mmCIF file of all heavy atoms in Angstrom:
data_model
loop_
_atom_site.group_PDB
_atom_site.id
_atom_site.type_symbol
_atom_site.label_atom_id
_atom_site.label_comp_id
_atom_site.label_asym_id
_atom_site.label_seq_id
_atom_site.Cartn_x
_atom_site.Cartn_y
_atom_site.Cartn_z
ATOM 1 N N ASN U 13 -5.134 8.743 2.033
ATOM 2 C CA ASN U 13 -5.804 7.622 1.423
ATOM 3 C C ASN U 13 -4.791 6.546 1.086
ATOM 4 O O ASN U 13 -3.750 6.830 0.523
ATOM 5 C CB ASN U 13 -6.537 8.024 0.109
ATOM 6 C CG ASN U 13 -7.577 9.084 0.400
ATOM 7 O OD1 ASN U 13 -8.213 9.081 1.448
ATOM 8 N ND2 ASN U 13 -7.775 10.003 -0.484
ATOM 9 N N LYS U 14 -5.160 5.348 1.413
ATOM 10 C CA LYS U 14 -4.240 4.183 1.118
ATOM 11 C C LYS U 14 -4.658 3.653 -0.240
ATOM 12 O O LYS U 14 -5.760 3.364 -0.534
ATOM 13 C CB LYS U 14 -4.371 3.123 2.165
ATOM 14 C CG LYS U 14 -3.878 3.561 3.524
ATOM 15 C CD LYS U 14 -3.955 2.479 4.512
ATOM 16 C CE LYS U 14 -3.586 2.936 5.923
ATOM 17 N NZ LYS U 14 -2.255 3.409 6.075
ATOM 18 N N LEU U 15 -3.626 3.491 -1.116
ATOM 19 C CA LEU U 15 -3.821 2.961 -2.449
ATOM 20 C C LEU U 15 -3.147 1.615 -2.564
ATOM 21 O O LEU U 15 -2.000 1.442 -2.065
ATOM 22 C CB LEU U 15 -3.228 3.943 -3.498
ATOM 23 C CG LEU U 15 -3.925 5.294 -3.536
ATOM 24 C CD1 LEU U 15 -2.904 6.393 -3.164
ATOM 25 C CD2 LEU U 15 -4.536 5.539 -4.864
ATOM 26 N N ARG U 16 -3.816 0.634 -3.195
ATOM 27 C CA ARG U 16 -3.236 -0.724 -3.345
ATOM 28 C C ARG U 16 -2.142 -0.684 -4.417
ATOM 29 O O ARG U 16 -2.206 0.106 -5.377
ATOM 30 C CB ARG U 16 -4.321 -1.657 -3.780
ATOM 31 C CG ARG U 16 -5.350 -1.868 -2.648
ATOM 32 C CD ARG U 16 -6.231 -2.993 -2.922
ATOM 33 N NE ARG U 16 -5.431 -4.230 -2.832
ATOM 34 C CZ ARG U 16 -5.897 -5.427 -2.747
ATOM 35 N NH1 ARG U 16 -7.215 -5.578 -2.876
ATOM 36 N NH2 ARG U 16 -5.165 -6.468 -2.660
ATOM 37 N N SER U 17 -1.140 -1.454 -4.218
ATOM 38 C CA SER U 17 0.024 -1.483 -5.134
ATOM 39 C C SER U 17 0.490 -2.879 -5.393
ATOM 40 O O SER U 17 0.559 -3.688 -4.453
ATOM 41 C CB SER U 17 1.170 -0.647 -4.493
ATOM 42 O OG SER U 17 2.121 -0.330 -5.390
ATOM 43 N N PHE U 18 0.791 -3.174 -6.682
ATOM 44 C CA PHE U 18 1.227 -4.471 -7.071
ATOM 45 C C PHE U 18 2.473 -4.308 -7.923
ATOM 46 O O PHE U 18 2.591 -3.374 -8.732
ATOM 47 C CB PHE U 18 0.164 -5.242 -7.872
ATOM 48 C CG PHE U 18 -1.055 -5.521 -7.139
ATOM 49 C CD1 PHE U 18 -2.093 -4.681 -7.047
ATOM 50 C CD2 PHE U 18 -1.111 -6.703 -6.350
ATOM 51 C CE1 PHE U 18 -3.254 -4.953 -6.341
ATOM 52 C CE2 PHE U 18 -2.231 -7.009 -5.620
ATOM 53 C CZ PHE U 18 -3.275 -6.149 -5.593
ATOM 54 N N SER U 19 3.463 -5.245 -7.744
ATOM 55 C CA SER U 19 4.664 -5.209 -8.596
ATOM 56 C C SER U 19 4.672 -6.449 -9.496
ATOM 57 O O SER U 19 4.199 -7.549 -9.091
ATOM 58 C CB SER U 19 5.899 -5.264 -7.679
ATOM 59 O OG SER U 19 6.020 -4.083 -6.930
ATOM 60 N N PHE U 20 5.182 -6.264 -10.670
ATOM 61 C CA PHE U 20 5.284 -7.382 -11.648
ATOM 62 C C PHE U 20 6.736 -7.426 -12.210
ATOM 63 O O PHE U 20 7.303 -6.403 -12.571
ATOM 64 C CB PHE U 20 4.351 -7.102 -12.824
ATOM 65 C CG PHE U 20 2.898 -6.995 -12.390
ATOM 66 C CD1 PHE U 20 2.382 -5.711 -12.163
ATOM 67 C CD2 PHE U 20 2.104 -8.032 -12.206
ATOM 68 C CE1 PHE U 20 1.066 -5.551 -11.756
ATOM 69 C CE2 PHE U 20 0.787 -7.951 -11.804
ATOM 70 C CZ PHE U 20 0.257 -6.682 -11.620
ATOM 71 N N ALA U 21 7.293 -8.631 -12.224
ATOM 72 C CA ALA U 21 8.621 -8.847 -12.786
ATOM 73 C C ALA U 21 8.541 -9.844 -13.935
ATOM 74 O O ALA U 21 7.769 -10.806 -13.824
ATOM 75 C CB ALA U 21 9.583 -9.411 -11.647
ATOM 76 N N PRO U 22 9.296 -9.597 -14.981
ATOM 77 C CA PRO U 22 9.185 -10.472 -16.140
ATOM 78 C C PRO U 22 9.776 -11.844 -15.840
ATOM 79 O O PRO U 22 10.781 -12.006 -15.141
ATOM 80 C CB PRO U 22 10.016 -9.770 -17.234
ATOM 81 C CG PRO U 22 10.935 -8.920 -16.461
ATOM 82 C CD PRO U 22 10.262 -8.538 -15.203
ATOM 83 N N GLN U 23 9.218 -12.870 -16.429
ATOM 84 C CA GLN U 23 9.750 -14.257 -16.251
ATOM 85 C C GLN U 23 10.992 -14.391 -17.222
ATOM 86 O O GLN U 23 11.966 -15.022 -16.852
ATOM 87 C CB GLN U 23 8.673 -15.293 -16.659
ATOM 88 C CG GLN U 23 7.504 -15.291 -15.713
ATOM 89 C CD GLN U 23 7.695 -16.233 -14.551
ATOM 90 O OE1 GLN U 23 8.389 -17.226 -14.650
ATOM 91 N NE2 GLN U 23 7.086 -15.897 -13.426
ATOM 92 N N GLN U 24 10.821 -13.804 -18.403
ATOM 93 C CA GLN U 24 11.969 -13.947 -19.408
ATOM 94 C C GLN U 24 12.187 -12.483 -19.916
ATOM 95 O O GLN U 24 12.919 -11.739 -19.347
ATOM 96 C CB GLN U 24 11.620 -14.861 -20.520
ATOM 97 C CG GLN U 24 11.574 -16.306 -20.057
ATOM 98 C CD GLN U 24 11.161 -17.260 -21.168
ATOM 99 O OE1 GLN U 24 10.742 -16.850 -22.226
ATOM 100 N NE2 GLN U 24 11.348 -18.516 -20.901
#
Side-chain angles (χ1 to χ4, degrees):
N13 299 326
K14 294 183 186 296
L15 298 119
R16 294 190 71 168
S17 196
F18 295 92
S19 296
F20 303 94
Q23 297 270 331
Q24 293 176 347

